[in-house]
Amino acid sequence: MSGQASSDTDIREGEVAAQLPPAFDASVYFIGRIRTPFATRADCPRRGDPEGGPECRIEVDPRFADALTGLDRYDDIAVLYWMNEARRDLLLQNPKHDGRLAGTFALRSPVRPNPIALSIVRMLGIDGPVLRVRGLDCVDGTPLIDIKPEFTGGRKPCDQ
Amino acid sequence: MSGQASSDTDIREGEVAAQLPPAFDASVYFIGRIRTPFATRADCPRRGDPEGGPECRIEVDPRFADALTGLDRYDDIAVLYWMNEARRDLLLQNPKHDGRLAGTFALRSPVRPNPIALSIVRMLGIDGPVLRVRGLDCVDGTPLIDIKPEFTGGRKPCDQ
């Protein structure tokens, strides 16, 4: 168990929950694990820092190691991971505990119908099935679901 | 059925498939549908264009409409969707049909263990549970799985 459970399963003042659909529509494989220095949610930074954050490791299941071929040509990669301890039914959330509500899709909160997180991280190196990266902000042991070269939306990454 | 099946289920020269894990690890809800002018994969542009592409609609399941509250404050949003007709087991792909192989995680191909696509799109407006956006490149009817405000990796979107 990570530290996600206690903060992401309670409901706060003013928050509104949906009736979730009666069945799931598709399924995912966990294709690896993310290793960070953050043992609990409370230890995680609010946002990953690809410049100054700590080095982290993405341990890809060895069965998928060949799928990393050519990824070393990219400076930045998009990492999708599964925030597997959050509740999934909130529509309106009170993220700052101050009574101000925001819609789930206007937040990057782990609490969402499909708890998939997206981080853009800086690639430091690849050693077999393990990527060394900078810029992650998730709990150690978080399940990995995808890696993509980063050039979202048809635009080049910012030059900063 | 979209036009994805024929091109994304065949295997091409040199391509290498993995043995997928014996079971799935988590499941997703389809939370809406994406409406585009692209009836088949062959009609889709290679990359969405947030500046000059056609206007598209993201139809969110009305049960989640309240979760869009506040999203109108953002110019750009990240859209995650499910490419539900692609095979999931290829490690090395021959995307240009020229014999040059690339790893699945070094491509944005729909063929991947978890067929989740990511597009950054320009927000044009919100009408109840429907978003009007520019910059999508997927087949009409594609299942939606998440919407997030766009400020990936702790960086502001590019100013271009």
Side-chain angles (χ1 to χ4, degrees):
Chain A
M1 296 290 285
S2 82
Q4 288 187 10
S6 59
S7 61
D8 293 337
T9 54
D10 296 341
I11 196 160
R12 297 176 190 145
E13 186 179 350
E15 292 187 330
V16 173
Q19 180 86 34
L20 287 170
F24 291 112
D25 296 290
S27 295
V28 300
Y29 301 109
F30 294 165
I31 62 167
R33 291 274 164 187
I34 295 174
R35 310 313 305 249
T36 72
F38 315 122
T40 71
R41 274 291 299 285
D43 299 325
C44 294
R46 185 156 170 73
R47 184 107 25 100
D49 178 356
E51 307 295 337
E55 183 174 321
C56 299
R57 293 159 54 91
I58 299 173
E59 299 177 349
V60 175
D61 180 335
R63 81 173 70 223
F64 296 116
D66 284 349
L68 297 170
T69 304
L71 191 61
D72 54 355
R73 291 186 295 116
Y74 295 91
D75 292 328
D76 292 314
I77 58 172
V79 179
L80 299 183
Y81 54 90
W82 191 263
M83 297 173 289
N84 58 334
E85 308 207 7
R87 64 185 292 158
R88 298 174 66 162
D89 61 346
L90 292 191
L91 299 173
L92 292 172
Q93 301 183 42
N94 181 359
K96 296 185 177 164
H97 307 56
D98 61 0
R100 284 186 301 174
L101 296 173
T104 291
F105 299 140
L107 296 169
R108 307 275 291 200
S109 160
V111 175
R112 52 206 317 114
N114 295 308
I116 298 169
L118 160 68
S119 286
I120 309 300
V121 303
R122 184 68 33 84
M123 173 85 85
L124 303 177
I126 303 183
D127 307 313
V130 177
L131 309 185
R132 292 181 298 108
V133 303
R134 202 182 296 282
L136 286 166
D137 56 12
C138 60
V139 170
D140 185 45
T142 295
L144 176 70
I145 56 174
D146 201 10
I147 298 169
K148 302 176 189 293
E150 167 55 11
F151 40 84
T152 50
R155 298 174 309 181
K156 296 277 187 285
C158 300
D159 288 327
Q160 59 187 7
Chain B
M1 295 289 284
S2 83
Q4 289 188 10
S6 59
S7 61
D8 293 338
T9 54
D10 298 340
I11 196 161
R12 298 178 188 145
E13 185 178 352
E15 292 186 331
V16 174
Q19 180 86 35
L20 287 170
F24 290 111
D25 296 291
S27 295
V28 300
Y29 301 109
F30 294 165
I31 61 167
R33 292 275 164 185
I34 295 174
R35 309 314 306 247
T36 72
F38 315 122
T40 70
R41 274 292 298 285
D43 299 324
C44 294
R46 187 158 167 71
R47 185 105 25 98
D49 178 356
E51 306 295 338
E55 183 173 322
C56 298
R57 292 160 57 89
I58 299 174
E59 298 177 349
V60 174
D61 181 335
R63 80 173 71 223
F64 296 115
D66 284 349
L68 299 171
T69 304
L71 190 62
D72 54 356
R73 291 185 296 117
Y74 294 92
D75 292 329
D76 292 316
I77 57 173
V79 179
L80 299 183
Y81 53 89
W82 190 263
M83 298 174 288
N84 57 334
E85 308 208 5
R87 63 185 295 158
R88 298 174 65 161
D89 61 348
L90 292 191
L91 299 173
L92 292 172
Q93 301 182 42
N94 182 359
K96 295 185 178 165
H97 308 56
D98 62 1
R100 284 186 301 173
L101 297 173
T104 290
F105 299 140
L107 296 169
R108 307 273 293 201
S109 160
V111 175
R112 52 206 317 114
N114 295 310
I116 298 167
L118 161 67
S119 286
I120 309 299
V121 303
R122 184 66 35 83
M123 174 84 85
L124 303 177
I126 303 183
D127 307 312
V130 177
L131 310 184
R132 292 181 298 109
V133 302
R134 203 181 295 284
L136 286 165
D137 57 11
C138 60
V139 170
D140 185 46
T142 295
L144 176 71
I145 55 174
D146 201 11
I147 297 168
K148 302 176 190 293
E150 166 57 10
F151 40 82
T152 51
R155 298 175 309 183
K156 295 279 187 287
C158 301
D159 287 329
Q160 58 187 7

